[in-house]
């Protein structure tokens, strides 16, 4: 058996004058050694393949992206790994960015949920 546990990716407060970056950990725990893959959905508010967070009470959205590298150059859609087995968690980091220059957005909380699918 294998399980996946994903932490929250919180960008915090931003004026959007500069990009807002954040990261979160994902743990994959398997009882046996073996290959697995993680698939990352586009979230509940996407426009095509562009991930978007939605304002908590209004219709406004903010674009954001997920990446597999600290430089935020490789878009994250899937990840492959090999479990160490023994119910030991293998840790992976997801890097996120809200691009700057998104004008005329309402002040407030924005959020989204991304489905992470574990195949083993």
């Amino acid at each position: 058996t294998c399980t996946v546990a994903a932490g929250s990716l919180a960008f915090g407060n931003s004026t959007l004058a500069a990009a807002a970056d954040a990261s979160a950990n994902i743990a994959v725990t398997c009882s046996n050694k073996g290959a697995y893959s993680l698939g990352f959905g586009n979230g509940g508010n996407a426009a095509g393949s562009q991930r978007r967070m939605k304002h908590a009470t209004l219709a406004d959205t903010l674009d954001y992206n997920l990446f597999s590298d600290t430089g935020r150059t490789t878009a994250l859609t899937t990840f492959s790994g090999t479990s160490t087995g023994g119910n030991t968690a293998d840790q992976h980091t997801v890097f996120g960015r809200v691009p700057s220059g998104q004008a005329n957005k309402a002040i407030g909380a924005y959020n989204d949920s991304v489905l992470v699918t574990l195949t083993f």
Side-chain angles (χ1 to χ4, degrees):
T1 61
C2 291
T3 61
V4 62
S8 294
L9 185 73
F11 292 103
N13 296 331
S14 175
T15 63
L16 299 177
D21 292 341
S23 63
N25 290 321
I26 295 180
V28 177
T29 305
C30 297
S31 56
N32 295 319
K33 292 181 179 181
Y36 62 85
S37 66
L38 295 173
F40 296 84
N42 285 333
N45 304 295
S49 62
Q50 176 59 63
R51 292 180 173 103
R52 301 185 312 176
M53 294 181 282
K54 186 177 179 308
H55 191 279
T57 59
L58 303 172
D60 282 11
T61 60
L62 285 174
D63 293 348
Y64 73 98
N65 299 298
L66 300 178
F67 302 92
S68 60
D69 62 313
T70 57
R72 292 166 175 83
T73 57
T74 305
L76 183 61
T77 55
T78 61
F79 175 85
S80 296
T82 302
S83 169
T84 56
N87 291 317
T88 301
D90 297 310
Q91 298 290 330
H92 306 285
T93 304
V94 172
F95 301 93
R97 174 170 283 165
V98 176
S100 63
Q102 298 185 63
N104 301 320
K105 300 297 180 175
I107 295 172
Y110 289 77
N111 60 54
D112 193 21
S113 294
V114 174
L115 178 65
V116 178
T117 304
L118 172 64
T119 304
F120 57 97

